[in-house]
Amino acid sequence: MPKTIPHAHSERSRPSAPTSADETGFETGFATALRLHRAGCWAQALAIHDRLLGDPRLPPAQAAQAYANRGAALRRLGRADEAVSSCIEALVRCPEMAEAYANIGAILQEADHPLAALDACRRAIALAPGLYTPYLAMAHAAQDCGAPAGALVLLRRAATLAPAMPSVRYNLAEALLQHGLFAEGWQAYEARWQARELALTRPTCAKPEWTGQDITGKTLLGVEEQGFGDALQFARLIPLVKARGARRIVLHCRAPLVRLLAGLEGVDAVTTALPDPCVYDLWVPLLSLMQRLAVAPDRIPAAVPYLAAPPDAVQHWTGALPETGELRVGLVWAGDPRLGHAAASRTDARRSLALAQLAPLLTVPGVSWVSLQKGPAAAQLDRFAIFDPMPGVTDFADTAAIVRQLDLVIGVDTAVVHLAGALGVPVWVLSRFSGCWRWLLDRDDSPWYPTLRLFRQQRPGDWAPVVARVREELLRAVRLPRHHRGPV
């Protein structure tokens, strides 16, 4: 279960009824802060808590609640040390405050202290058995301890206590999908739009959403969502929708995907702006297609390649890589750091490496290395002799034209490995401990991409054994005669 979403906050307004003008004002402040917190306006909520705590008339019990709520807001803002201190201040004033323990548990889990997180959450549950938030933190901590089955049990308990809470349903969805329970998982995944911590914006389309009804003769608008890798992975489903009788399919996506996805089977037009409602009859988010089409794990359409570099990109990049008789390997070692999004930044820090950590690979003889890295991590190339075509890359069509010239792609879990898999190019994925749900459990292959191999971390944060295993396999691949290599 990836750490793409923090657990729901443990904030609440003061439950008792106000009995004075002062208390009425405090109650209003608590309610406003709670509303802001639930809307994802954590800095504004923090300011209200600070103002409440600066008032000497605030009663001790309310001060304890304000400190706990303040800790929840600080946690969302990525200020973990301050968040813990604030929760401790709450416990000094109210030692039996379950919400403060739950917040501390969530913070400890996010700071990679799962055992301490479990202790704090158990204390919260002992004090308030009906509180769902510690079960979320415990589930992630269990995952961090290598117990995905236990994590799923805990998330089911959280869903029993708070069945309508979007963050609960979303976290449960990812755990279900990781276990291959697609029918239940994809249904729960529909809660992603309401889970504010994900910061997703649901498209505002004027026409009805396609939920599986007859689409014969209709025009469907498919809408890209989330990361580029998600779009590349689930674009494979568009031909299945077309096969249900759709007259036309228009795909809405960001500019870097337009040239590549315009050539996808079943796509009649691609646009970067939501089209006028008169252009389409129904619309669907791209990641909802799994649920709409009722795709089972053993029925994933995995024939590759289902994407191809467009001819203009192929023409431009043919001959752009250095001529070599060596094994030509593409390398990507880091994702998007998403610095403005605390939860996504934590996930990226866990999945990414420094290029220096891959140095054992770079010494393998008989390999010609090609960088596929974009973003800030590309600056690390200065220390290594790796050919870097990426400054000339403008979109994923360009990247596809480069990748198709490679014998192998080695990378962390980013959009590039999805692109390589969709192109049918051999790809080795270095997957973090407690990896993404889409790679399922206890396997080194993938039902999504037949040319993909997984090299999983056995301990959180420990990349050295993973790199050593990849090096061994790379040495084996280099020793093969070139005409015998086939899929690496």
Side-chain angles (χ1 to χ4, degrees):
M1 179 169 45
K3 311 299 186 297
T4 54
I5 176 171
H7 328 295
H9 64 274
S10 296
E11 179 175 328
R12 60 184 171 97
S13 56
R14 192 174 65 88
S16 58
T19 58
S20 68
D22 286 345
E23 286 189 323
T24 300
F26 296 145
E27 190 75 15
T28 301
F30 274 96
T32 302
L34 179 61
R35 184 170 64 253
L36 288 167
H37 192 119
R38 288 177 173 169
C41 302
W42 301 306
Q44 294 92 321
L46 176 62
I48 292 176
H49 297 317
D50 285 340
R51 190 184 73 234
L52 288 169
L53 289 166
D55 192 327
R57 298 169 296 174
L58 187 67
Q62 284 185 296
Q65 190 63 60
Y67 273 115
N69 294 354
R70 181 176 180 272
L74 286 164
R75 170 177 159 245
R76 298 297 194 192
L77 293 168
R79 295 158 61 178
D81 291 345
E82 294 174 79
V84 170
S85 296
S86 193
C87 291
I88 290 173
E89 290 290 345
L91 291 171
V92 168
R93 290 158 178 79
C94 184
E96 303 298 296
M97 180 172 282
E99 295 93 334
Y101 280 109
N103 281 336
I104 290 172
I107 296 163
L108 289 170
Q109 182 274 318
E110 291 165 356
D112 297 324
H113 299 294
L115 296 178
L118 289 169
D119 287 342
C121 290
R122 290 187 186 107
R123 178 62 175 159
I125 291 169
L127 292 167
L131 190 65
Y132 73 91
T133 51
Y135 287 100
L136 286 175
M138 286 183 74
H140 286 302
Q143 194 79 20
D144 289 344
C145 292
L152 180 57
V153 171
L154 291 162
L155 286 166
R156 287 193 184 280
R157 176 59 179 161
T160 299
L161 294 170
M165 187 61 66
S167 57
V168 173
R169 290 187 56 75
Y170 177 81
N171 279 277
L172 176 60
E174 287 202 331
L176 291 165
L177 294 173
Q178 186 184 43
H179 282 79
L181 301 172
F182 276 19
E184 187 182 357
W186 286 115
Q187 184 61 47
Y189 196 75
E190 292 298 299
R192 66 193 181 278
W193 303 110
Q194 291 76 43
R196 294 189 181 276
E197 296 87 347
L198 279 178
L200 298 180
T201 301
R202 185 176 176 83
T204 53
C205 299
K207 291 297 184 70
E209 185 174 348
W210 183 61
T211 56
Q213 63 268 42
D214 182 23
I215 201 173
T216 303
K218 305 287 187 182
T219 295
L220 178 70
L221 173 66
V223 181
E224 177 219 350
E225 55 168 301
Q226 301 188 57
F228 289 122
D230 294 293
L232 297 172
Q233 180 180 2
F234 293 99
R236 74 182 70 215
L237 300 174
I238 289 177
L240 298 186
V241 181
K242 194 67 171 287
R244 291 200 173 194
R247 183 176 67 87
R248 296 184 80 242
I249 292 183
V250 178
L251 183 60
H252 171 261
C253 64
R254 287 168 288 175
L257 292 168
V258 169
R259 276 203 301 161
L260 180 64
L261 295 184
L264 179 66
E265 179 188 350
V267 171
D268 297 286
V270 181
T271 176
T272 57
L274 287 174
D276 189 277
C278 67
V279 174
Y280 63 97
D281 302 296
L282 299 160
W283 77 281
V284 66
L286 201 56
L287 269 69
S288 290
L289 287 176
M290 289 291 288
Q291 189 267 335
R292 306 292 193 266
L293 296 168
V295 178
D298 59 349
R299 297 300 177 95
I300 293 172
V304 294
Y306 61 84
L307 292 177
D312 58 339
V314 171
Q315 181 179 9
H316 176 78
W317 287 100
T318 296
L321 303 186
E323 288 291 332
T324 181
E326 298 179 320
L327 191 73
R328 188 179 274 163
V329 182
L331 191 63
V332 58
W333 56 92
D336 181 353
R338 300 278 303 277
L339 296 178
H341 192 300
S345 293
R346 283 192 299 272
T347 299
D348 184 66
R350 293 180 179 188
R351 71 172 171 174
S352 299
L353 293 84
L355 180 55
Q357 292 176 274
L358 295 175
L361 304 184
L362 304 180
T363 61
V364 172
V367 177
S368 176
W369 292 98
V370 177
S371 172
L372 300 173
Q373 183 67 51
K374 295 282 275 186
Q380 299 170 32
L381 280 164
D382 292 345
R383 297 173 49 199
F384 299 92
I386 299 175
F387 180 74
D388 182 19
M390 300 309 284
V393 166
T394 60
D395 61 8
F396 278 94
D398 284 338
T399 307
I402 294 170
V403 169
R404 66 185 291 275
Q405 301 179 62
L406 303 175
D407 297 301
L408 170 67
V409 170
I410 297 175
V412 295
D413 190 358
T414 66
V416 172
V417 301
H418 289 280
L419 176 62
L423 293 169
V425 173
V427 53
W428 295 352
V429 179
L430 284 63
S431 181
R432 71 186 189 274
F433 189 85
S434 183
C436 182
W437 61 264
R438 71 197 76 216
W439 306 131
L440 303 174
L441 295 168
D442 302 324
R443 59 190 299 170
D444 60 9
D445 65 340
S446 169
W448 300 100
Y449 304 108
T451 63
L452 186 146
R453 289 182 63 184
L454 289 163
F455 293 80
R456 298 178 184 264
Q457 269 188 348
Q458 300 303 307
R459 292 185 300 275
D462 188 6
W463 287 112
V466 179
V467 174
R469 294 201 307 275
V470 172
R471 189 177 192 278
E472 289 175 7
E473 292 301 308
L474 190 57
L475 285 166
R476 186 174 293 113
V478 168
R479 285 195 292 266
L480 288 173
R482 190 167 186 83
H483 62 281
H484 286 162
R485 284 173 182 163
V488 177

